[in-house]
């Protein structure tokens, strides 16, 4: 498992429990050293995740973040620009989903919080290894975005609207 995947899984795990998760539990689950877990937690904090250390383990402070779902449409070539708009304003792209007429909602957790991660996703998609989820809906897709405040989410919304990526319902 790559480090970025492990960190996404740590956030998901902490977000799904209200009880502290000890570093030793995380270390065993991911088959890495305790020091790697400590480094992962530091990186998650630096990227805006509200991970709190307690004497019994780590918890995710979800109350410190606001979230909103944006409906967008753009081409694959504009994926990096969309990601940069969201991330440079202080958002984290938690997931992508589409609403397929036959299959219903299809989603994938992506937890993109910096430009390098967006570029890595783009490279993976253009390499032909996989097709982008938005390709099944002609570019229409949804992003759950978290940020430190509603004001930041308003700024992201305005920038997506100005660029023409935001789809108004």
């Amino acid at each position: 498992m790559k480090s970025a995947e492990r960190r996404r899984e740590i956030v998901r795990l902490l977000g799904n429990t209200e009880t502290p998760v000890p570093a030793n539990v995380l270390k065993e689950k991911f088959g890495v050293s305790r020091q790697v877990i400590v480094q992962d937690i530091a990186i998650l904090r630096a990227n805006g995740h509200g991970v709190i250390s307690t004497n019994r383990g780590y918890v995710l402070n979800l109350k410190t973040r606001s979230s909103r779902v944006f409906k967008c449409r753009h081409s694959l070539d504009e994926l990096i620009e969309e990601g940069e708009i969201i991330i440079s304003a202080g958002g984290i792209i938690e997931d992508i989903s589409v609403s397929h007429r036959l299959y219903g909602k299809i989603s994938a957790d992506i937890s993109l919080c910096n430009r390098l991660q967006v570029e890595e996703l783009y490279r993976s998609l253009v390499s032909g290894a996989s097709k982008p989820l938005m390709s099944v809906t002609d570019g229409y897709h949804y992003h759950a975005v978290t940020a430190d405040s509603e004001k930041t989410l308003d700024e992201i919304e305005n920038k997506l609207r100005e660029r023409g990526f935001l789809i108004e319902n």
Side-chain angles (χ1 to χ4, degrees):
M1 175 180 285
K2 293 182 179 178
S3 57
E5 293 173 51
R6 184 179 58 249
R7 286 190 288 273
R8 282 193 293 272
E9 190 60 30
I10 289 170
V11 169
R12 209 174 353 268
L13 190 104
L14 296 178
N16 289 331
T17 183
E18 293 181 13
T19 59
V21 179
N24 286 336
V25 169
L26 295 173
K27 151 185 124 124
E28 294 298 320
K29 177 171 179 51
F30 298 111
V32 296
S33 70
R34 189 175 188 291
Q35 184 57 37
V36 168
I37 296 299
V38 170
Q39 290 171 347
D40 283 343
I41 297 299
I43 290 168
L44 290 170
R45 285 180 180 146
N47 288 324
H49 292 280
V51 180
I52 299 170
S53 298
T54 72
N55 60 349
R56 293 188 295 175
Y58 299 109
V59 294
L60 190 60
N61 184 0
L62 297 174
K63 295 178 180 107
T64 62
R65 311 265 321 150
S66 297
S67 66
R68 191 174 301 171
V69 175
F70 297 107
K71 183 177 183 182
C72 299
R73 183 175 189 228
H74 57 76
S75 69
L76 177 59
D77 292 335
E78 296 167 316
L79 184 143
I80 292 176
E81 184 180 356
E82 177 200 48
E84 193 169 81
I85 287 170
I86 294 169
I87 290 165
S88 67
I92 296 173
I93 306 168
E94 299 292 350
D95 71 13
I96 181 170
S97 64
V98 295
S99 182
H100 192 274
R101 290 183 186 205
L102 181 60
Y103 301 120
K105 182 180 179 182
I106 305 168
S107 66
D109 294 328
I110 53 177
S111 297
L112 302 175
C113 53
N114 64 52
R115 182 180 172 82
L116 293 175
Q117 292 172 336
V118 174
E119 290 172 352
E120 182 180 321
L121 174 66
Y122 176 76
R123 279 193 302 276
S124 295
L125 293 172
V126 297
S127 73
S130 297
K131 295 284 185 198
L133 193 53
M134 66 186 193
S135 69
V136 299
T137 54
D138 195 31
Y140 290 96
H141 60 283
Y142 299 85
H143 286 301
V145 175
T146 59
D148 61 350
S149 68
E150 288 296 319
K151 182 179 178 184
T152 300
L153 291 171
D154 290 343
E155 181 182 335
I156 292 168
E157 184 172 328
N158 289 334
K159 288 181 177 183
L160 290 171
R161 182 179 294 113
E162 287 170 11
R163 180 53 183 89
F165 291 157
L166 188 69
I167 302 300
E168 309 283 349
N169 288 333

